[in-house]
Amino acid sequence: MPSAEDAALLAEVAELRSRNEQLGQALESRAVIDQARGMVMALAPCSSDRAWDLLVDVSQHCNIKLRDVAAALVAMTTDRLPEPIQRELRRALRRLHMADRR
């Protein structure tokens, strides 16, 4: 039977593995989000902060996670963008352009 110290070490190792996996997923998501942000900056054109706000806006209006919106946008270079995201992206770009005109 493992000692209390061994059990504590095993729990700590499990926790560290879980955190490591979460950080890896976050880094992957961040790379895709940054790629999508760059695409929006080229499409709009707008600043990095405005591109971020636009992606967040589309994500919230579609009720789709930001990383999934970003992945769909990046994938559109080879695939068609899903209709809800395409529609909200057009709307968000219009709002962005209207705000810039003020």
Side-chain angles (χ1 to χ4, degrees):
M1 185 162 149
S3 69
E5 186 177 310
D6 289 342
L9 285 173
L10 288 173
E12 185 177 354
V13 167
E15 174 66 24
L16 290 172
R17 284 183 178 158
S18 175
R19 285 186 190 178
N20 188 39
E21 185 177 323
Q22 290 172 355
L23 286 171
Q25 290 172 348
L27 284 173
E28 287 177 27
S29 293
R30 186 61 185 203
V32 171
I33 291 169
D34 286 343
Q35 289 173 351
R37 189 186 238 181
M39 291 175 70
V40 170
M41 290 168 64
L43 289 170
C46 63
S47 70
S48 179
D49 288 341
R50 295 295 294 270
W52 172 265
D53 292 342
L54 186 139
L55 289 171
V56 168
D57 188 46
V58 170
S59 169
Q60 290 173 345
H61 280 90
C62 290
N63 197 27
I64 298 173
K65 291 183 183 204
L66 179 61
R67 68 175 178 255
D68 295 335
V69 169
L73 185 59
V74 170
M76 87 174 204
T77 58
T78 57
D79 299 332
R80 186 166 169 83
L81 198 60
E83 181 56 38
I85 295 173
Q86 192 177 90
R87 181 180 57 248
E88 286 304 325
L89 183 58
R90 279 193 304 266
R91 288 177 182 164
L93 284 168
R94 277 195 295 270
R95 287 191 296 270
L96 178 72
H97 287 297
M98 293 301 285
D100 285 344
R101 291 182 184 170
R102 293 181 203 167

